[in-house]
Amino acid sequence: MDITIREIQPPEHAALAEISAQAYLDGGLLTYGADDPYLDVLRDVARRAAEAEVLVAVDPDGTLLGGVTFVPCGGTPWADIAGPDEAEFRVLAVSGAARGRGVGEALVRACADRARAREGCVRLVLSVTPQAVAARRLYDRMGFARAPRRDWNPLPGVTLFAYELTL
């Protein structure tokens, strides 16, 4: 599949907001389903784009296939677990129609490439729900290692698994 990864454009914010929300809902990744307050975070693409780097995957005709939020070394308000010499990514989401076509992997590779390009950046890190089995398989396949010492609870009863990729 021919996929281009680039920074999001403002007219694409609404489309990525819905792709992100739907991916998390369809995947059963939200503790409170359609009432989960994290849906507001997923849908606020404009804020993510203003405070971090939002990358999108598009096909040759410009159809938006998915996106990810990249947090460079040194951090932004979007850094959850990254230290000063680590980059992080969050909100990896692929449209239902594009799943299984390498879109998620392409987005993660773009994050790894961006992290490697940052001087002094030694790791790329992420947090993921235990229920995100397909995403965790992808991270394993791409060489990320589980980092249980960094697992954390953003809310009572919600555990996130940490992964890291040494660059």
Side-chain angles (χ1 to χ4, degrees), residues 71-75 81-88 115-116 118-125 150 164-167:
V71 181
C73 289
I81 64 170
D85 58 352
E86 298 174 320
E88 184 169 351
R116 283 186 188 98
R118 310 263 179 192
E119 186 164 338
C121 191
V122 298
R123 260 180 307 285
L124 178 62
V125 299
R150 297 176 84 161
E164 32 183 57
L165 176 69
T166 300
L167 303 173

Side-chain angles (χ1 to χ4, degrees), residues 52-135:
E53 297 176 29
V54 176
L55 305 176
V56 292
V58 296
D59 69 10
D61 71 4
T63 301
L64 193 65
L65 305 171
V68 66
T69 301
F70 175 74
V71 181
C73 289
T76 75
W78 288 90
D80 278 333
I81 64 170
D85 58 352
E86 298 174 320
E88 184 169 351
F89 71 86
R90 296 185 52 191
V91 195
L92 175 64
V94 176
S95 73
R99 288 192 194 126
R101 295 166 44 190
V103 174
E105 183 172 343
L107 287 163
V108 173
R109 285 194 190 290
C111 290
D113 290 345
R114 283 179 179 257
R116 283 186 188 98
R118 310 263 179 192
E119 186 164 338
C121 191
V122 298
R123 260 180 307 285
L124 178 62
V125 299
L126 68 108
S127 301
V128 63
T129 66
Q131 299 90 328
V133 176

Side-chain angles (χ1 to χ4, degrees), residues 132-142 163:
V133 176
R136 292 174 44 223
R137 276 195 307 261
L138 171 66
Y139 306 143
D140 289 339
R141 190 172 69 246
M142 294 184 71
Y163 281 77

Side-chain angles (χ1 to χ4, degrees), residues 18-67:
E18 287 316 304
I19 287 171
S20 301
Q22 209 54 54
Y24 277 64
L25 285 167
D26 291 349
L29 306 179
L30 299 172
T31 303
Y32 304 108
D35 296 324
D36 200 298
Y38 195 61
L39 276 170
D40 292 336
V41 174
L42 295 171
R43 287 186 170 123
D44 196 352
V45 176
R47 178 177 167 225
R48 285 192 272 144
E51 297 176 347
E53 297 176 29
V54 176
L55 305 176
V56 292
V58 296
D59 69 10
D61 71 4
T63 301
L64 193 65
L65 305 171

